[in-house]
Amino acid sequence: MTRVDFYVVSEAGEAARLTVAARLVDKALSRGHRLFINAQTEQQARQLDEVLWTFRPESFIPHALVSDDASAAVVIGWGQEPSNHDDVLINLEYTAPAFFSRFLRVAEVVTQDEKSLEALRAAWRFYRDRGYPLHKHDL
């Protein structure tokens, strides 16, 4: 069964969500996981693409946009169903995508702005009501 982790950030805003997503990618990739990141829009996907190139000054996190290479170890999409991934999903949408249950783990990033808090409370209830194991991490 899919494990769902909520990463609750003490900051608000889009930049905080993308930075936490990059931290999660970096950690999961170092542990050998393959990741699909489900961005809200193509614009957000391209912003995250930039963050991943510059996240660590001493190196970069190898990744690709789904339109460039859907088989990379880390792929960023925006509404497309992943074709080659079922390990870790980082969901930046405010609702669970239809394909979430094919993944072993789902990471939801919660920031301290009203839209994010409302949406992720609803997502918590969605997953909980369907019996998925939930874990909360305060960052």
Side-chain angles (χ1 to χ4, degrees):
M1 177 170 266
T2 302
R3 172 187 163 135
V4 182
D5 292 274
F6 285 80
Y7 294 88
V8 182
V9 185
S10 61
E11 301 170 51
E14 186 67 16
R17 290 187 90 215
L18 297 182
T19 299
V20 169
R23 286 174 50 196
L24 294 173
V25 170
D26 190 38
K27 185 174 182 179
L29 190 61
S30 73
R31 292 182 176 181
H33 293 285
R34 292 177 48 82
L35 296 100
F36 186 83
I37 305 163
N38 186 48
Q40 294 175 11
T41 63
E42 182 177 358
Q43 178 183 355
Q44 184 186 52
R46 292 189 182 282
Q47 289 171 331
L48 183 57
D49 176 46
E50 287 299 315
V51 170
L52 291 176
W53 282 112
T54 60
F55 178 66
R56 292 190 330 196
E58 68 278 3
S59 67
F60 70 96
I61 298 171
H63 66 282
L65 294 172
V66 70
S67 56
D68 295 335
D69 182 2
S71 65
V74 177
V75 174
I76 307 168
W78 54 92
Q80 305 89 340
E81 184 160 341
S83 57
N84 297 313
H85 291 78
D86 59 6
D87 189 9
V88 177
L89 169 67
I90 297 176
N91 185 37
L92 296 177
E93 283 273 9
Y94 286 123
T95 59
F99 53 81
F100 81 89
S101 63
R102 72 187 260 186
F103 286 83
L104 296 175
R105 291 186 73 168
V106 173
E108 298 279 359
V109 179
V110 183
T111 53
Q112 298 304 307
D113 51 87
E114 196 55 39
K115 184 175 183 178
S116 179
L117 290 170
E118 277 183 41
L120 277 302
R121 283 182 189 123
W124 180 279
R125 287 188 299 271
F126 172 84
Y127 293 122
R128 182 198 63 207
D129 292 350
R130 285 156 182 78
Y132 290 94
L134 304 176
H135 303 271
K136 180 180 173 254
H137 310 275
D138 293 315
L139 303 179

